């Protein structure tokens, strides 16, 4: 007899399958629900059936949450290098304290999409 073509679960960065329900992986009746974006990702996941037997179905629509540059008194961003403002891989280097400020700046990723990252550790110089 004829066997239905079956899709497999993909490995997709930024997608959380922990609440996924694979109601049917067979192509004529393919249905997967409950897929969500992983922590530090935002969007609405769209699940699409595979193109052939044994191939993975696709999930799109989850993008990394992005931080923005803050405005912080006492901080000099002129030598800052924003290697990645995406939360999963956030990395900013080269931030220094501004003139008349002292300390070692610490850069921390933002708490959510569109939020500013934080810079602490620069204090006004005392005369």
């Amino acid at each position: 007899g004829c066997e239905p073509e079956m899709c497999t679960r993909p490995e997709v960065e930024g997608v959380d399958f922990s609440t996924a329900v694979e109601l049917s992986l067979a192509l004529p009746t393919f249905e997967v629900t409950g897929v969500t974006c992983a922590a530090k990702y935002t969007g609405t996941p769209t699940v699409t059936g595979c193109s052939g037997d044994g191939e993975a179905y696709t999930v799109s629509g989850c993008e990394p949450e992005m931080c923005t540059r803050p405005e912080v008194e006492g901080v000099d961003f002129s030598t800052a290098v924003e290697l990645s403002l995406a939360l999963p891989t956030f990395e900013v280097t080269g931030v220094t304290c501004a003139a008349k400020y002292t300390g070692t700046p610490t850069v921390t990723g933002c708490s959510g999409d569109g939020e500013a990252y934080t810079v602490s550790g620069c204090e006004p110089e005392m005369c």
Side-chain angles (χ1 to χ4, degrees), residues 82-125:
E82 294 172 334
L83 297 166
S84 174
L85 293 179
L87 269 181
T89 56
F90 180 82
E91 187 175 0
V92 175
T93 63
V95 175
T96 58
C97 294
K100 300 188 179 176
Y101 284 78
T102 185
T104 303
T106 301
V107 179
T108 307
C110 58
S111 58
D113 192 45
E115 301 284 323
Y117 59 85
T118 58
V119 181
S120 58
C122 293
E123 301 294 331
E125 287 180 351

Side-chain angles (χ1 to χ4, degrees), residues 22-126:
E22 294 171 332
L23 297 167
S24 173
L25 294 178
L27 273 183
T29 57
F30 178 83
E31 186 175 2
V32 175
T33 62
V35 176
T36 59
C37 293
K40 300 183 180 178
Y41 286 79
T42 185
T44 304
T46 301
V47 180
T48 307
C50 59
S51 57
D53 191 43
E55 294 186 18
Y57 59 86
T58 59
V59 180
S60 59
C62 294
E63 298 295 328
E65 292 184 345
M66 300 295 286
C67 298
T68 61
R69 178 182 285 187
E71 291 184 26
V72 183
E73 187 174 336
V75 176
D76 182 358
F77 289 100
S78 65
T79 59
V81 179
E82 294 172 334
L83 297 166
S84 174
L85 293 179
L87 269 181
T89 56
F90 180 82
E91 187 175 0
V92 175
T93 63
V95 175
T96 58
C97 294
K100 300 188 179 176
Y101 284 78
T102 185
T104 303
T106 301
V107 179
T108 307
C110 58
S111 58
D113 192 45
E115 301 284 323
Y117 59 85
T118 58
V119 181
S120 58
C122 293
E123 301 294 331
E125 287 180 351
M126 296 295 171

